[in-house]
Amino acid sequence: MAAFEVSDELLAALVPNIVYWVYLWTYMALESSCDDYRLHPKEDEDEKNLVSKKTVIKGVLWQQLRQVITAILLYKVIGRNDDGAFAGQPSSFIVIARQFVVAMVVLDTYQYFLHRYMHQNKFLYRHFHSEHHRLVVPYTYGAIYNHPLEGFLFDIVGGTLSFVLSGMSARTSIFFFCFGTMKSIDDHCGMLLPGNPFHLLRNNTAFHDFHHQHYGGKYNFSQPFFVF
C-alpha cells in the first residue's frame, strides 16, 4: 500500500488555520493565572465589546474557510514545474530569509494603507471596518474577525500579494503564514507576558490594543510587523 502523503500545498492551506486555534488556546489557558499581565480586567470583555463570542467564532471560521479555498486555488494556478517541484522552491537559507523580508514588507505596506483608508473613509469605516472595532477589548480568537469583504481585502488579498511577490514556495509559506498568524493573535491577546519575543517589537500587543480603544482609533494603523 502506498504511503499516504500530504502535499506542501495542502499543508500551506491548512496549517496556519490550525496554528491559529492552538496558539490562542495557550493564551486562554494562561488567563486565570496571569491577571497581573492583562491590559484590561477580564470583565471588560463582556461589558465593552459590542459583539458576542459566538458571533466572533462563527465569523473567524467563515474567514478561515475562505482562506483555505483561496490558498488551494492559488497553488493550483501557480502550478508545478515538469520535475514536480513547486514553482519558486528556494534553494538556500539566504533565499528564504529574503523572501520572508519581502513578504513582510509587502503585507505590512498593503495592510497599513488599506487599514488607514478604512478609518479615513467614513463610508468604509461605518459599513465594513467598524465590525472589527466592535471588539474594544479583543477576544484572543477575534484576531481575524472582520466584515467578510474586509476579511477578503485584508487577509486574502494581502496574503496572496505577499506570497506571489516574494516568490516563496508553498513549504516556505507554511512558516511565514504561521508566523504572521501567531503575531496577529499576539496583537489581540490583551496580555503583556514577560519574555514574549513579539513584545520586543514596537508594534506589539499594547500598540495594537491602543488602536482598539475609542480614543485610539486615529492612531497605530500599522500591522502586523513594522511601524510606519
Side-chain angles (χ1 to χ4, degrees):
M1 179 180 295
F4 178 74
E5 294 184 2
V6 180
S7 67
D8 289 345
E9 294 82 6
L10 183 59
L11 289 174
L14 296 177
V15 171
N17 295 294
I18 296 172
V19 168
Y20 185 95
W21 294 102
V22 172
Y23 189 61
L24 71 85
W25 275 111
T26 62
Y27 274 111
M28 296 184 71
L30 292 171
E31 282 184 346
S32 60
S33 59
C34 295
D35 282 344
D36 292 342
Y37 301 107
R38 292 183 62 90
L39 295 174
H40 305 277
K42 178 66 175 177
E43 54 269 20
D44 279 4
E45 290 184 354
D46 297 323
E47 295 176 0
K48 295 184 177 181
N49 288 337
L50 305 175
V51 60
S52 69
K53 297 177 180 179
K54 180 179 179 180
T55 298
V56 172
I57 292 174
K58 288 170 61 178
V60 169
L61 290 173
W62 170 233
Q63 173 65 16
Q64 289 185 323
L65 175 61
R66 295 189 302 155
Q67 289 177 174
V68 169
I69 294 173
T70 301
I72 292 174
L73 292 176
L74 176 63
Y75 296 132
K76 285 185 176 296
V77 169
I78 293 177
R80 293 175 178 271
N81 298 323
D82 292 337
D83 62 358
F86 193 85
Q89 181 71 39
S91 57
S92 70
F93 175 78
I94 294 177
V95 172
I96 295 175
R98 174 180 57 78
Q99 291 171 339
F100 251 72
V101 172
V102 171
M104 290 170 70
V105 171
V106 169
L107 185 62
D108 263 40
T109 302
Y110 173 81
Q111 290 196 344
Y112 170 80
F113 285 105
L114 180 59
H115 187 195
R116 189 182 186 102
Y117 187 64
M118 283 277 189
H119 277 271
Q120 293 176 334
N121 186 298
K122 293 181 180 180
F123 177 85
L124 292 178
Y125 182 82
R126 183 183 305 114
H127 294 282
F128 302 106
H129 191 53
S130 61
E131 187 78 11
H132 183 66
H133 279 275
R134 295 174 72 186
L135 295 173
V136 180
V137 181
Y139 305 122
T140 307
Y141 45 82
I144 60 172
Y145 172 71
N146 295 299
H147 184 281
L149 179 60
E150 181 182 352
F152 174 78
L153 293 175
F154 264 79
D155 298 315
I156 295 177
V157 175
T160 298
L161 287 173
S162 62
F163 171 76
V164 173
L165 295 179
S166 67
M168 64 175 54
S169 68
R171 184 173 300 175
T172 300
S173 75
I174 297 172
F175 297 96
F176 175 73
F177 288 116
C178 284
F179 175 61
T181 294
M182 293 170 67
K183 178 61 170 62
S184 182
I185 290 171
D186 198 84
D187 288 344
H188 294 84
C189 72
M191 291 192 289
L192 286 175
L193 296 176
N196 187 336
F198 283 132
H199 295 165
L200 297 176
L201 302 173
R202 182 183 169 195
N203 187 350
N204 54 29
T205 307
F207 181 92
H208 191 69
D209 181 83
F210 181 83
H211 176 72
H212 270 268
Q213 305 310 303
H214 294 304
Y215 50 77
K218 295 182 179 180
Y219 309 96
N220 297 14
F221 300 112
S222 299
Q223 59 182 63
F225 304 113
F226 308 116
V227 173
F228 283 78

